[in-house]
Amino acid sequence: MTGARPNDTEQAGTEPLVAPFAGWVVHPDWAERVISRAYDNLSPLQRQALVASNPYSYMNVTRSREDLFDNTDLSHEDLVTQGASALTRLLNAKAFVPTGRSALYLYRLTHKQGSQTGVVCTVPVQGFDDGRIRIHENVHDERADLLTAHLQGVGATSSPVAMAVRSGAELRNQLFDITSASPADLEFGSTAVRHQVWTVPDDCTESLVAAFGNQVLYVTDGHHRSAAAVRARAAEPDNTALARTLAVVFPDEQLQVQAFHRLAVDQHNRSPEECLAALDDVAEVTSVFSSMQARPQKKGVAGLYLGGSWHQVALPAAVGNGAVNGLDVERLRRSILDPVLGADELGVPGAVEYLPASLGFDEMARRCDAENRVGFALHPMTVRELMAVADENGLMPPKSSFFAPKPRSGVFLRMLGRGATAHLPPS
């Protein structure tokens, strides 16, 4: 998903960067049953329980192998077939309502740190190649292939790729004016995070589209979905429904970034004492008494959980001058995960798993103890660091940043006119 970096992004493509779509929206009476909780905030066991208890959760449509029970082994084709059946169940129940017109939407998430208001739209898949949409993370092919098969076989998408745009007064004012003019069309969530959706009035749509005309978008969450959109379009270049993909674009100043912690398997199968000694050979390791003391307070320091004990690690210096080289995730990968543990997260399947910071250090310790893993707790990067990597056409390791709170799946449906939606026009 890399390409040229045109100087004049307005001339990079003839399609608008953001555009309205004639989607479907969840019926308010169905919202609590259908709208999924954020996938990365749930453990596999929690996702399994949710799917088993609620056949109308949208997570039934987007299941992966991690969401299956231990004695189940399904192929991509089987997972897609199950997803199409789950979507058919939702459509037959009339859980989603066609809007009947092309529109943009505003999506606001209000939480204890503040609020963020994004524009729900479609963006051109070509934008990933011509530089108008920029990425910053590598992807795992198996996950991207499953999501590609999902697009091609299930026939709809409801999980918008989250993106950031450099904020400006014009965009901020437009978002404020629209959300202040009328109550939200849809509200759901909890006291922790309140979600609100507005339909952008027709007389505001053109000016809002124009506000993005010469901007660059940065993927913040959804690199695998982005890769799937690119692969599906490459496989069917004449399919107009696959020429654009569902997205929600937030002003960069409103976004909150958390860390994705690393849970690595020592490929050399050493004892905790031997592993700690090997780590101490390449980095300064300091024993501490608790997870609170291990929590990294600044860039360049990581928490370490190994064999029931907590430590702090001063990460070795960056190798190279690029923006990606200075990030803690890359310093950890280059200096410790691969050379010391043999846990090449880009090449050894399952060697490294990822834990969002929101799940806490107790969950890190539990997972490491249960799976004989070494836990590394990282300090979060900033949005501007992420943008700098993308502007240099650099790629971080997978799951390098975690944006929270997240837009939910099951709010909007963009129909692709195939699979479970073969009888419906694309939107």
Side-chain angles (χ1 to χ4, degrees):
M1 291 193 302
T2 59
R5 292 284 188 258
N7 293 324
D8 185 353
T9 53
E10 266 189 314
Q11 297 178 6
T14 57
E15 290 186 280
L17 187 57
V18 306
F21 63 104
W24 295 41
V25 179
V26 68
H27 191 288
D29 292 345
W30 281 88
E32 292 298 329
R33 279 178 289 178
V34 173
I35 296 170
S36 298
R37 292 173 60 189
Y39 183 91
D40 287 328
N41 280 345
L42 301 172
S43 69
L45 287 176
Q46 288 174 315
R47 294 196 295 268
Q48 290 169 13
L50 190 154
V51 166
S53 64
N54 180 10
Y56 292 103
S57 167
Y58 201 83
M59 199 168 287
N60 287 278
V61 182
T62 58
R63 295 176 76 183
S64 67
R65 286 195 179 92
E66 288 184 345
D67 308 328
L68 302 175
F69 293 100
D70 291 340
N71 61 351
T72 307
D73 184 18
L74 299 181
S75 66
H76 283 182
E77 183 178 344
D78 294 329
L79 288 167
V80 168
T81 298
Q82 286 195 358
S85 296
L87 179 57
T88 297
R89 181 164 56 245
L90 288 169
L91 294 176
N92 288 342
K94 302 188 185 306
F96 289 91
V97 180
T99 60
R101 68 183 183 91
S102 186
L104 298 172
Y105 302 88
L106 300 189
Y107 189 145
R108 174 176 291 166
L109 300 94
T110 303
H111 45 95
K112 64 181 180 180
Q113 291 88 9
S115 68
Q116 57 199 63
T117 304
V119 180
V120 181
C121 57
T122 65
V123 298
V125 178
Q126 178 63 31
F128 292 103
D129 293 324
D130 63 31
R132 289 181 292 165
I133 305 174
R134 300 181 183 177
I135 62 171
H136 65 269
E137 283 186 4
N138 273 297
V139 298
H140 292 297
D141 281 335
E142 182 177 1
R143 178 65 178 162
D145 286 343
L146 172 58
L147 293 176
T148 303
H150 181 279
L151 286 174
Q152 295 171 324
V154 173
T157 181
S158 184
S159 305
V161 177
M163 302 184 179
V165 64
R166 285 189 169 88
S167 184
E170 178 185 1
L171 178 59
R172 286 196 302 270
N173 291 339
Q174 289 192 57
L175 299 183
F176 176 81
D177 290 345
I178 293 169
T179 55
S180 300
S182 63
D185 300 323
L186 176 67
E187 294 195 38
F188 60 95
S190 65
T191 54
V193 183
R194 182 174 57 151
H195 300 249
Q196 296 170 286
V197 175
W198 288 261
T199 305
V200 175
D202 289 340
D203 58 0
C204 298
T205 298
E206 185 176 348
S207 60
L208 192 53
V209 169
F212 290 90
N214 60 352
Q215 295 282 1
V216 170
L217 305 182
Y218 298 84
V219 174
T220 56
D221 185 80
H223 281 80
H224 287 90
R225 279 167 275 152
S226 300
V230 171
R231 294 178 187 195
R233 177 179 175 271
E236 301 179 50
D238 297 327
N239 187 325
T240 56
L242 297 176
R244 301 186 70 88
T245 195
L246 189 65
V248 55
V249 185
F250 295 100
D252 66 324
E253 63 187 13
Q254 298 179 3
L255 295 174
Q256 306 287 327
V257 189
Q258 297 181 15
F260 248 124
H261 302 323
R262 270 56 181 149
L263 311 181
V265 173
D266 178 19
Q267 301 298 304
H268 305 296
N269 199 29
R270 292 168 290 200
S271 69
E273 294 76 17
E274 292 171 328
C275 189
L276 187 62
L279 291 170
D280 203 27
D281 285 341
V282 300
E284 182 181 345
V285 180
T286 304
S287 295
V288 296
F289 295 105
S290 68
S291 59
M292 286 300 295
Q293 291 179 312
R295 187 183 304 273
Q297 300 296 325
K298 62 181 181 179
K299 182 177 179 178
V301 176
L304 168 66
Y305 182 81
L306 174 60
S309 299
W310 288 100
H311 312 264
Q312 273 202 343
V313 179
L315 296 174
V319 178
N321 298 320
V324 69
N325 300 96
L327 298 176
D328 286 1
V329 288
E330 185 69 1
R331 291 164 67 179
L332 178 68
R333 183 184 75 84
R334 284 183 175 234
S335 300
I336 293 177
L337 293 182
D338 192 358
V340 178
L341 301 181
D344 178 7
E345 59 185 322
L346 302 181
V348 181
V352 178
E353 292 188 356
Y354 307 97
L355 185 77
S358 59
L359 292 185
F361 279 15
D362 287 346
E363 177 66 10
M364 172 184 281
R366 187 196 69 78
R367 290 270 301 274
C368 288
D369 290 341
E371 302 169 16
N372 195 27
R373 291 180 180 268
V374 184
F376 294 92
L378 298 174
H379 191 263
M381 70 183 70
T382 67
V383 178
R384 289 304 170 101
E385 284 179 318
L386 177 155
M387 290 177 163
V389 171
D391 286 338
E392 289 184 1
N393 211 16
L395 291 175
M396 308 175 196
K399 303 293 185 183
S400 291
S401 58
F402 180 75
F403 286 80
K406 295 174 180 286
R408 301 286 184 85
S409 300
V411 181
F412 306 96
L413 267 186
R414 180 170 178 256
M415 304 299 191
L416 300 177
R418 59 199 302 154
T421 68
H423 60 295
L424 298 168
S427 58

